[in-house]
Amino acid sequence: MTRVVRLTVAALCATAGALVVAMVLGGAATPRIIPGLPDEGTLTRWMLPLSKLAMDVSGVLTVGLLAVAAVFLPSDKGLLGRPAQSYVKGASWSALAWAVAAAVALVFSLSETLGAPVGEILAGNELTSYASQVPQGIALTLVVLFAVAIALFARGAITAGAAAGLLVFALVTLLPPALTGHSSSAPNHGLATTSVGMHLLFLALWVGGLAAVCVYALRGQAQIDVAAARFSRMALWCFAGVGVSGVAAGASRLATIGDLFTSPYGLLLIAKVAAFAVLGYLGWRHRGRTLPRLSAGEPHAFLRLALGEVMLMGATMGVGVALSRTAPPPVNTPVDRAFELLGYLLPPPLSLGNLFTLWWFDLFFAVLAAALAGLYGAGVVRLARRGDKWPVGRTVSWGLGVVILVLSTQSGIARYAPVLFSVHMTEHMILSMLVPIFFVLGAPVTLALRALRPAVRRGDRGPREWITVILHSRVMRFVSHPAIATAIFVVSTFALYFTPLFAAAMEEHLGHIAMTTHFLLSGTLFFWVIIGVDPAPHKLPHAGRLLLLMVTMPFHAFFGIALMSMGTVLAGAYYDQLGRTWGASSLADQQTGGGIAWGFGEIPTLIVLLALGFQWWRDDERVARRADRRADAAAAKPGGGTGDAELDAYNDYLAKLNRRDRSR
């Protein structure tokens, strides 16, 4: 335990020291104070970044402890072992520290916002309004509430599923403060917001996981080789994610490459890049040299390198906090409300050529499409190397789905969707009614179950076992019920557009991502029930699937007719702020969007009918072949028979009647 305390103190010193040095070099520690203007004071100037650093460190540690318990350590038929349970308990305490640090940061953040000392803040009543009405205050309040919830629920978590759920909850809790900082005010705020969120999630898993594994090794507990090997596999993905998101985050804030070398913000960014490169080298050393020695029973070989890596990661986090306190180099942006809302100037009038040439890079969906294509391709390659066959049609279907996803989220459709309701509705229909069809026909779950290897230890959970658990979970059984899946697919559309949700989602880039992701997921869930190839908790007969399709599709026509009949513009205030002077009026464009919603359903319905008919025919063919095999097997047995139990029983009954008649 003494070694663990020493590691903790050393890592905290390295982190705080890097923060102090970076703030001094970046100028955040000595800002220019103009006489006559409010000044929050030296205490707030230092305590705000220190409290935010404490919040980040405790949050990352919570993520790491939960990751060790849920993923890195073997479980026994879903139950956590004693070491894993102790790490969940530790996550409870770190989550409580997380909540306290966020509460302290909330007070000092208000002090900086109002330019008043902390004493005046605590004596006044502004804190309640700040915590409930200002985005930065709301974000910190959410962290306090969520972290307290994690601390409470972690006390009673004894299953791997509960620990995994808390891990996801902790990752979500990290996001609110980061998404209301510099990223929300960057010129390309869409790219900045997405990249910062991804950067933080990957970094938390990487840093927190390594810190928790080091603690595990220092305590001399068993199965350190298993935990380190599993962390190493995850760290490779985290390294790639941190690199990609970091490049995107830097590109969204810097106007030119020269800003890297001529501004304090750019110099701190270079320091982070250098630390990132060193961490990548250390990770490569881990995979190539120390992990084999660890498996051979030499835990100190892992610790010598890992402890230095933890120190460097802590220092990098300190630099990151200082970077968030340093103003990015000024960028000349047009004074234009459309630019503020969209992140780019209002595009020229809509044309077919512009749709194919004015592409817009969306990092979230670009990464999603790359991951979907790469993982599916890796599964097919693994089966091929093993000598197993995978239907070409399924691969083609999945590829078409990915291509259509890219076209609808990266091309001119994505650029015009926030500007014209008709284009937005086109994107909605493609993502909810076309892409999901090709995805479910690609049978990704079946491919994963065949390509992934079972866990080495009996009763443990690897990726294959987690997929099986999720498929059989109560939540999945509920949402995949035909009635629930249909309700989500239909009712959510009306609930989104005929409530203030649509206007709120259009105002924020994160709202647009959430809305678009919902279209994709709800459509995938519905068509999985109708034509899904993968195993599902509920299986409808083919006639029932056809009936469900015929009942559901008219609702989209009703939705389109409702839009065409409206006399008011949905999210009218948002569209008015864009100042669009070309094309049809907002109301006429909305009516066009209603017409698209009304008529678009015919294409997906035709594809689904063809797929359903083919599946029905194949199923009948399999049943007929099975019956023929049973009949052949029965005929080969003494006494014969048809192989059909009901038919044989009926024939026996007729034979008995015939014998009875003859005996009379």
Side-chain angles (χ1 to χ4, degrees), residues 17-311:
L19 170 65
V20 172
V21 172
M23 285 189 62
V24 172
L25 295 179
T30 56
R32 181 183 178 187
I33 300 176
I34 301 176
L37 294 181
D39 179 27
E40 66 274 13
T42 304
L43 179 63
T44 297
R45 195 170 298 121
W46 281 103
M47 284 304 299
L48 178 57
L50 286 173
S51 61
K52 286 188 174 181
L53 179 61
M55 185 177 67
D56 291 345
V57 169
S58 54
V60 165
L61 184 58
T62 302
V63 169
L65 292 172
L66 291 172
V68 167
V71 182
F72 300 157
L73 292 180
S75 59
D76 184 14
K77 296 180 180 179
L79 295 177
L80 298 175
R82 285 189 177 181
Q85 290 186 34
S86 67
Y87 281 89
V88 175
K89 296 294 194 304
S92 175
W93 289 108
S94 63
L96 187 60
W98 191 3
V100 172
V104 174
L106 178 66
V107 175
F108 285 106
S109 179
L110 177 58
S111 173
E112 182 188 54
T113 301
L114 297 182
V118 176
E120 296 181 12
I121 296 299
L122 296 176
N125 56 2
E126 296 90 353
L127 188 59
T128 303
S129 300
Y130 180 75
S132 58
Q133 298 178 11
V134 180
Q136 290 79 3
I138 294 173
L140 292 172
T141 303
L142 290 176
V143 173
V144 174
L145 296 177
F146 291 170
V148 169
I150 293 171
L152 293 176
F153 287 117
R155 302 301 299 178
I158 61 174
T159 65
L166 290 172
L167 173 60
V168 174
F169 195 15
L171 290 172
V172 172
T173 306
L174 289 170
L175 292 176
L179 300 181
T180 55
H182 286 163
S183 59
S184 61
S185 58
N188 189 350
H189 52 266
L191 179 61
T193 301
T194 306
S195 59
V196 165
M198 292 177 56
H199 193 75
L200 185 60
L201 294 180
F202 284 118
L203 195 63
L205 287 170
W206 189 13
V207 177
L210 180 61
V213 170
C214 284
V215 171
Y216 191 86
L218 285 171
R219 295 176 66 184
Q221 294 175 308
Q223 298 178 324
I224 179 60
D225 55 333
V226 177
R230 292 183 177 183
F231 165 76
S232 180
R233 288 192 292 269
M234 186 197 72
L236 180 61
W237 290 97
C238 291
F239 178 79
V242 169
V244 172
S245 59
V247 170
S252 66
R253 291 174 177 82
L254 301 177
T256 62
I257 297 296
D259 289 335
L260 277 174
F261 309 98
T262 58
S263 66
Y265 187 91
L267 294 175
L268 290 179
L269 199 59
I270 290 176
K272 281 196 66 176
V273 171
F276 172 76
V278 175
L279 289 172
Y281 170 74
L282 294 177
W284 173 74
R285 287 284 301 271
H286 271 306
R287 293 179 66 88
R289 299 187 181 184
T290 62
L291 287 182
R293 296 177 64 184
L294 186 62
S295 300
E298 301 180 33
H300 295 291
F302 170 78
L303 283 174
R304 281 195 294 269
L305 195 59
L307 293 179
E309 194 173 356
V310 169
M311 301 296 177

Side-chain angles (χ1 to χ4, degrees), residues 450-495:
R450 289 182 57 184
L452 292 172
R453 301 182 181 90
V456 177
R457 289 168 174 79
R458 187 176 181 85
D460 192 14
R461 286 184 179 177
R464 191 176 189 276
E465 287 73 22
W466 276 111
I467 293 175
T468 304
V469 169
I470 293 172
L471 281 176
H472 292 88
S473 66
R474 294 181 181 179
V475 174
M476 185 59 66
R477 288 184 62 85
F478 175 76
V479 299
S480 64
H481 190 279
I484 302 300
T486 303
I488 294 174
F489 184 62
V490 174
V491 176
S492 62
T493 300
F494 288 87

Side-chain angles (χ1 to χ4, degrees), residues 283-364:
W284 173 74
R285 287 284 301 271
H286 271 306
R287 293 179 66 88
R289 299 187 181 184
T290 62
L291 287 182
R293 296 177 64 184
L294 186 62
S295 300
E298 301 180 33
H300 295 291
F302 170 78
L303 283 174
R304 281 195 294 269
L305 195 59
L307 293 179
E309 194 173 356
V310 169
M311 301 296 177
L312 183 57
M313 283 182 170
T316 305
M317 288 183 62
V319 174
V321 173
L323 193 65
S324 68
R325 304 289 302 158
T326 305
V331 179
N332 294 325
T333 58
V335 182
D336 185 78
R337 181 55 178 161
F339 187 88
E340 295 177 4
L341 288 172
L342 304 174
Y344 52 87
L345 292 173
L346 197 69
L350 178 66
S351 67
L352 188 61
N354 288 336
L355 284 177
F356 282 99
T357 57
L358 297 180
W359 283 59
W360 176 250
F361 179 70
D362 189 304
L363 178 64
F364 178 82

